[in-house]
Amino acid sequence: MAQGMVVLLNGTSSAGKTTLAKALQTRLPEPAIHSGVDHILERAPTGLMVRTTPEDMRRVPGWALPFGPDGLAALPRIGPSGLRILRGMYAAAAALARCGVWVILDDVIYDAQVARAAAEELADCETLCIGVHCDVAVACAREAARGDRAPGGAKVFAAAVHRWMRYDLDVD
C-alpha cells in the first residue's frame, strides 16, 4: 500500500486556508481528508479555552485567550493539554498517511513548541508544507465579514504565524 501525503497549510486566521484546502481536494491525485486546528478546537471540551485579559495570562490547561476591548489582544498561550491535543492532531494525520490516506491540515502555527510537535509527529510522512500568506488588512476584512471569528485574530497571528515554519511552497 502506498503511503498518503500530508499537506500542511499554515497561515493567519482568515488568510484563505480553508478555501485553498477545498480547491486542493478537487485537484489532488488522490482523495484527501480536510481537517485542521479549527475542527479540533470545535470538538474540545468546554473550559479548555479560557478568555482572559492580557495582564492575567495565568497558567491554564489548554489555551489562555487574552482579550482586550477590541478583541484578541495578544497571542494565545498554549498550556500542556492544548499542546497534547495539537500533537495528537499531527499524529492522527501521520497515522492516516501511513494507511495511504491523503490529509490536508489547515493550521495557525504561531508557537515554537507547536512547530516542533508538528515536525516530530509528521517526520516519517511525506509532507508538503505550504505557507498561506495574505495582506493583513485583507485578512482583517475577511475576519470581520465572516462573523464567526473573534476580532483581532488575523492581525495578532499575522505577525507570528510564519516565524517557526519552513515551507516547500508559499501561496499569496
Side-chain angles (χ1 to χ4, degrees), residues 37 40-41 44-50 59-64 77-90 113-114 117:
V37 68
I40 297 298
L41 295 180
T46 304
L48 194 64
M49 299 179 84
V50 178
R59 186 169 180 83
V60 297
W63 286 264
R77 181 171 179 207
I78 301 171
S81 294
L83 183 59
R84 279 194 304 274
I85 288 168
L86 292 173
R87 182 176 287 281
M89 177 182 75
Y90 303 121
Q113 65 183 345
V114 175

Side-chain angles (χ1 to χ4, degrees), residues 11-17 132-159 161-162 172:
T12 192
S13 177
S14 301
K17 298 178 302 292
V132 182
H133 302 269
C134 182
D135 180 81
V136 176
V138 172
C140 290
R142 289 177 182 168
E143 176 183 80
R146 289 174 73 165
D148 66 348
R149 295 287 186 262
K155 184 177 181 181
V156 166
F157 291 122
V161 76
H162 299 294
D172 188 340

Side-chain angles (χ1 to χ4, degrees), residues 1-6 96-103 125-127:
M1 169 177 42
Q3 181 167 306
M5 173 181 261
V6 176
L96 285 166
R98 283 192 296 276
C99 291
V101 178
W102 286 47
V103 181
C125 297
E126 185 176 355
T127 303

Side-chain angles (χ1 to χ4, degrees), residues 14-169:
S14 301
K17 298 178 302 292
T18 299
T19 300
L20 179 56
K22 289 178 181 178
L24 285 170
Q25 283 181 307
T26 68
R27 290 173 176 87
L28 289 173
E30 295 289 333
I33 300 297
H34 171 219
S35 189
V37 68
D38 287 347
H39 301 131
I40 297 298
L41 295 180
E42 288 169 1
R43 288 151 182 84
T46 304
L48 194 64
M49 299 179 84
V50 178
R51 287 180 177 238
T52 184
T53 63
E55 296 78 30
D56 187 26
M57 292 286 285
R58 66 189 186 282
R59 186 169 180 83
V60 297
W63 286 264
L65 305 172
F67 276 83
D70 297 325
L72 195 62
L75 290 171
R77 181 171 179 207
I78 301 171
S81 294
L83 183 59
R84 279 194 304 274
I85 288 168
L86 292 173
R87 182 176 287 281
M89 177 182 75
Y90 303 121
L96 285 166
R98 283 192 296 276
C99 291
V101 178
W102 286 47
V103 181
I104 303 169
L105 284 180
D106 74 54
D107 209 343
V108 182
I109 300 175
Y110 62 89
D111 182 282
Q113 65 183 345
V114 175
R116 279 192 302 276
E120 290 166 4
E121 296 301 331
L122 297 171
D124 68 341
C125 297
E126 185 176 355
T127 303
L128 178 67
C129 290
I130 301 176
V132 182
H133 302 269
C134 182
D135 180 81
V136 176
V138 172
C140 290
R142 289 177 182 168
E143 176 183 80
R146 289 174 73 165
D148 66 348
R149 295 287 186 262
K155 184 177 181 181
V156 166
F157 291 122
V161 76
H162 299 294
R163 181 177 300 154
W164 307 109
M165 298 296 294
R166 290 189 164 197
Y167 300 116
D168 301 301
L169 180 66

